[in-house]
Amino acid sequence: MLDLILRHCNLPDGRRDVDIGIQGDRIAVVEPACPAQAAQEIDAAGQLVSAPFVDAHFHMDATLSHGLPRVNQSGTLLEGIALWGELKPQLTQEALVERALAYCDWAVAKGLLAIRTHVDVCDPRLLAVEALLHVRERIKPYLDLQLVAFPQDGVLRSPGALAQLRRALDMGVDVVGGIPHFERTMADGASSVRILCEEAAQRGLRVDMHCDESDDPLSRHIETLACEAQRLGLQGRVAGSHLTSMHSMDNYYVSKLLPLMHEAGVAAIANPLINITLQGRHDTYPKRRGMTRVPELLAAGVPVAFGHDCVMDPWYSLGSGDMLEVAHMGLHVAQMTSQQAMRQCFEAVTTTPAAILGLEGHGLQPGCWADLVLLQAADPIEAIRLRATRLMVMRRGCIVAQTPPATATLHLPGRPAQVSHRWPACH
Ligand SMILES: [Zn+2]
C-alpha cells in the first residue's frame, strides 16, 4: 500500500500515461498502469509531471529591492553595481530576511524548489551572508538554497574582500564565487580566478564565477577558469556564469575554447533575461544579443543551465520566480526552436542545473525525493509556450502549493464558454 499515486502522468522524457507511486518522502515506483493501491490518488489526466525547477544563478540578497534607493537609469550592469553599492550600507538583516522569504514563497508557488544564490561578501559586516544563512535553514523543509560567496566589487579590487570571502566560507557558505572581469586588469582577473579556485580546491568546494560578463571579445577569463579547473582536479565542480563575451568572440578562438571547457568539465550558466537586457548597451545597430553561445556549448558537450539572476533589483525591474519565463527567453534569444532544442531549454531549468548544483535525489526515478510539479501542459514544449500554470507542487511527498487552472470565460455567441490556450499536442 503506497501513500500516494499520481495516475496518467506525462513525463518530460516523452513517456506518456505513466503512474508515479510515492511512499513517504520518496518516489517508489514509476510505471504504466501501476497495480498498487494507495491511500490517496491524484489524476494528472495526461498533463506533464516534472521534477522541480532549479535556478542555477540568482541574487537573493538583492531581490525585491527595486527602487531602493533609486532606479537604474542607464540600464547597464555598471550602474546596477554602483546602485547596489549605494544600497548596501542601508541594508538591515530584518529587511533582507523578509524579502528573501517573500521571494521563496513566490518560488515555491512556481515549482522552483532549489536555488543557487550568490551572496555579496564585500561588506565587512557580512550582513547578507548572515541573513541568507538564516534563510537557508529556515526554508530547508521546502526549498534547497545553495549559497555562493560572491565578491561583487572584486576579490582583489575591494580591500578586505578575500578575508571576508574566507570568513563567509567558514560560516557555512557552500560555493566559491568570483568576478574576474570586474578586477582592475585582465591580469588581476586571471589572478583572482587562480586564488579562488585554489581556495575551493583546498576546502573541497564547488566554484561558480561570474565570468566575462561583458561585450568585450577579448575577455579571456573562462579560458583561465577551465585551465584552473583542470590543474586543480575540479572537473565537474566548476561553473562559469554569464560568459556573455563569448557572444562577441572570434569564431576561431571559440572553436578552441569549447573543447577546452568540455575537457575541463566546466559547466555554463546563461541568464537570458538579464543578458538580453544588460548586454549590447554600448552598441548602436546592429545591436548584439549578448547571451553566450548556448547551442554550440551544448553541441560541444558542455552542460548549460539557464538562471533567473535577478528579480526586481538594481539590475532588473521585472521577474516573478518563473523558470519557464527564463526558458522561454533563452529559447528565443538562442533561436533554439527545433523540437529537440526546445526540450533542451526545459532541461536547462530542471535537470541540468540540478546536476550543476550537485543536488541529491532530484529526478523522477524510483528512489528520488518525492518532489514534483504538475503542470497544465502536455509536454515540456507546451509548458514553455504557455509558461504553464503549476497546478500542484509537491515536496517530500506533501503538497506545498496549488494554483487553479488558467482558463478564461468567453462571452462570444457560438463559441466555447471557456478557453485555456491549450491545443492537442502536435509534437
Ligand atoms: Zn549574477
Side-chain angles (χ1 to χ4, degrees), residues 163-220:
Q164 283 149 215
L165 179 133
R166 288 180 172 140
R167 235 169 72 217
L169 296 173
D170 291 342
M171 288 161 71
V173 169
D174 308 282
V175 179
V176 177
I179 185 165
H181 55 273
F182 196 69
E183 303 291 353
R184 286 195 177 86
T185 64
M186 203 58 84
D188 277 3
S191 300
S192 78
V193 172
R194 267 193 293 279
I195 292 166
L196 292 164
C197 285
E198 283 171 4
E199 189 72 32
Q202 248 170 36
R203 293 174 182 258
L205 298 178
R206 290 171 189 269
V207 175
D208 185 343
M209 285 195 202
H210 285 65
C211 206
D212 301 330
E213 190 184 1
S214 73
D215 295 315
D216 177 1
L218 298 177
S219 200
R220 292 286 183 263

Side-chain angles (χ1 to χ4, degrees), residues 216-340:
D216 177 1
L218 298 177
S219 200
R220 292 286 183 263
H221 299 303
I222 181 58
E223 176 186 281
T224 309
L225 184 62
C227 179
E228 289 301 304
Q230 194 149 40
R231 180 175 73 89
L232 296 163
L234 292 168
Q235 290 93 336
R237 306 172 64 79
V238 175
S241 279
H242 292 297
L243 309 180
T244 53
S245 67
M246 198 188 292
H247 188 95
S248 300
M249 282 172 181
D250 173 70
N251 287 335
Y252 174 77
Y253 174 69
V254 174
S255 76
K256 180 195 166 202
L257 177 63
L258 298 184
L260 184 70
M261 289 176 68
H262 176 60
E263 191 186 334
V266 170
I269 300 169
N271 297 291
L273 293 164
I274 306 309
N275 300 150
I276 195 71
T277 46
L278 290 187
Q279 302 306 314
R281 289 277 175 163
H282 297 268
D283 294 354
T284 54
Y285 288 94
K287 199 184 275 286
R288 284 168 288 180
R289 299 173 188 214
M291 191 168 78
T292 196
R293 303 189 188 196
V294 177
E296 292 78 7
L297 282 158
L298 289 167
V302 176
V304 183
F306 289 150
H308 205 319
D309 201 4
C310 301
V311 170
M312 300 189 73
D313 69 9
W315 295 273
Y316 187 62
S317 53
L318 304 172
S320 63
D322 183 353
M323 294 308 293
L324 285 174
E325 187 183 333
V326 174
H328 189 266
M329 179 59 78
L331 183 158
H332 283 78
V333 177
Q335 300 181 332
M336 291 175 69
T337 50
S338 74
Q339 301 288 301
Q340 188 207 0

Side-chain angles (χ1 to χ4, degrees), residues 349-426:
V349 293
T350 50
T351 49
T352 306
I356 292 173
L357 269 65
L359 293 181
E360 182 264 327
H362 179 275
L364 292 178
Q365 301 82 40
C368 290
W369 292 117
D371 297 357
L372 41 86
V373 185
L374 171 62
L375 293 121
Q376 191 188 0
D379 56 44
I381 296 172
E382 191 177 48
I384 293 175
R385 178 173 72 81
L386 298 176
R387 273 79 82 218
T389 300
R390 283 63 158 178
L391 299 168
M392 181 191 77
V393 181
M394 186 173 284
R395 169 84 166 180
R396 306 297 193 251
C398 298
I399 295 172
V400 290
Q402 284 174 290
T403 307
T407 52
T409 302
L410 290 185
H411 305 280
L412 300 174
R415 298 304 302 155
Q418 294 208 308
V419 64
S420 71
H421 294 92
R422 295 195 60 199
W423 192 251
C426 53

